[in-house]
Amino acid sequence: KRVAILISGSGSNMVALADSMTGDHPARPVLVLSNVATAGGIAKAQAMGIATAVVEHKPFGRDREAFEAALIETLDAARPDIICLAGFMRILTPTFINHYAGRMLNIHPSLLPKYKGLDTHARAIEAGDDEAGCSVHEVTAELDGGPILGQARVPILPGDTPDDLAARVLPMEHRLYPAVLARFATGDRTPVVLP
Ligand code: GRF
């Protein structure tokens, strides 16, 4: 399976995914695409020998459709079987989502369906939750909706700041996303629950 990974920032999840696709793994990374030219993940992907591309959203202004058409053109040139959103910070329209229906995944730093959207860790702390975590889900037209393919949980400790919690969740993301991809790439949609 050919996997394209979309990023907007440091790309730590992209690195974890790319590092996992070795040996007899059924998938290989064929492209890392960013909407931000200066994303740290682009340099990391290049260092790993993975093809990269940048399609900035800014030149398209408010024309989401034109931006997404450019994304699709660049992505489809790499003939991906699976699209992994990994810290990709643009909201995608149903046009884009339908184009990759059933083969696009995203990782979200909360225990969905709780805390869709942004500032997930601050919201969990504010709510007084005693645990937080991350979720990998199939991307559907509903933002951070779609069938959940895996979750990982961490405790929220007294005095935790959002950064403390992010630092505890991120390593779990780096374990969960590769585990979900390895299963998803075989066509198995059974949710992964990390030990
Ligand atoms: C992570 O918290 C991830 O859950 C969210 O984007 C953040 C940065 O991810 N989707 P990365 O380091 O760019 O992979």
Side-chain angles (χ1 to χ4, degrees):
K1 295 287 184 196
R2 301 170 61 87
V3 175
I5 306 171
L6 274 69
I7 65 170
S8 299
S10 64
S12 71
N13 276 288
M14 176 278 296
V15 170
L17 287 170
D19 279 344
S20 75
M21 290 185 259
T22 57
D24 62 357
H25 191 296
R28 286 289 183 278
V30 295
L31 182 67
V32 171
L33 187 152
S34 175
N35 64 303
V36 175
T38 57
I42 288 293
K44 290 174 188 167
Q46 289 169 343
M48 296 169 86
I50 303 168
T52 61
V54 173
V55 178
E56 292 191 306
H57 60 280
K58 275 180 286 194
F60 297 94
R62 299 166 47 79
D63 189 345
R64 270 187 201 282
E65 279 68 24
F67 168 58
E68 291 183 350
L71 277 185
I72 289 172
E73 183 183 0
T74 303
L75 277 171
D76 285 355
R79 293 180 290 110
D81 300 301
I82 298 170
I83 307 286
C84 289
L85 305 180
F88 185 69
M89 301 309 279
R90 302 298 297 170
I91 290 178
L92 297 162
T93 73
T95 306
F96 187 94
I97 291 164
N98 293 337
H99 186 78
Y100 295 110
R103 57 193 180 114
M104 182 154 61
L105 307 180
N106 181 45
I107 187 155
H108 180 75
S110 80
L111 294 173
L112 292 173
K114 293 179 82 169
Y115 311 123
K116 297 177 181 177
L118 299 174
D119 301 321
T120 60
H121 301 315
R123 291 156 63 195
I125 293 168
E126 186 59 36
D129 293 356
D130 56 15
E131 64 176 11
C134 49
S135 307
V136 175
H137 62 96
E138 281 190 55
V139 176
T140 62
E142 185 205 348
L143 179 66
D144 299 330
I148 290 174
L149 294 173
Q151 292 197 307
R153 296 169 183 277
V154 301
I156 297 179
L157 303 174
D160 266 347
T161 64
D163 285 350
D164 295 330
L165 192 46
R168 197 172 303 130
V169 172
L170 200 54
M172 298 301 281
E173 297 180 27
H174 299 161
R175 290 177 49 208
L176 179 67
Y177 214 166
V180 170
L181 176 61
R183 188 173 288 188
F184 188 82
T186 68
D188 180 353
R189 282 169 163 71
T190 314
V192 167
V193 180
L194 282 190

